[in-house]
């Protein structure tokens, strides 16, 4: 039988990451590149594990006004 999962709402990624480091939650999901950046600043980066597979694919795009060379 699969383990039960309790979802916990957080106000921000920083709040979720702090809760993870404090042991208040067991895991959280976010954009992979942001998770990598957060894990590099962790108190103990070796205590963290990122799933090797992607749970979803969210393409990025940048919108600019027409004629703006950027």
């Amino acid at each position: 039988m699969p383990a039960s999962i309790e979802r916990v709402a957080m106000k921000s990624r920083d709040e979720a990451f702090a809760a993870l480091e404090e042991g208040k939650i067991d895991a959280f999901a976010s954009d992979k590149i942001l998770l990598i950046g957060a894990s590099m600043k962790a108190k103990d980066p070796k205590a963290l594990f990122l799933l090797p597979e992607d749970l979803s694919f969210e393409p990025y795009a940048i919108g600019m006004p027409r004629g703006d060379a950027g």
Side-chain angles (χ1 to χ4, degrees), residues 52-70:
E53 64 273 352
D54 294 332
L55 300 178
S56 68
F57 177 71
E58 307 294 332
Y60 284 88
I62 298 173
M64 297 175 63
R66 190 177 299 271
D68 186 343

Side-chain angles (χ1 to χ4, degrees), residues 35-66:
L35 289 173
I36 291 169
S39 69
M40 293 171 64
K41 299 182 217 173
K43 294 174 187 172
D44 184 7
K46 293 181 181 182
L48 302 174
F49 175 78
L50 291 173
L51 294 176
E53 64 273 352
D54 294 332
L55 300 178
S56 68
F57 177 71
E58 307 294 332
Y60 284 88
I62 298 173
M64 297 175 63
R66 190 177 299 271

Side-chain angles (χ1 to χ4, degrees), residues 5-64:
I5 297 172
E6 178 185 349
R7 292 182 182 178
V8 179
M10 298 282 169
K11 293 181 181 178
S12 69
R13 188 177 301 102
D14 291 338
E15 180 184 12
F17 194 78
L20 180 68
E21 288 197 299
E22 294 167 12
K24 294 178 180 177
I25 59 174
D26 296 320
F28 80 98
S30 183
D31 185 273
K32 190 175 234 177
I33 195 70
L34 297 174
L35 289 173
I36 291 169
S39 69
M40 293 171 64
K41 299 182 217 173
K43 294 174 187 172
D44 184 7
K46 293 181 181 182
L48 302 174
F49 175 78
L50 291 173
L51 294 176
E53 64 273 352
D54 294 332
L55 300 178
S56 68
F57 177 71
E58 307 294 332
Y60 284 88
I62 298 173
M64 297 175 63

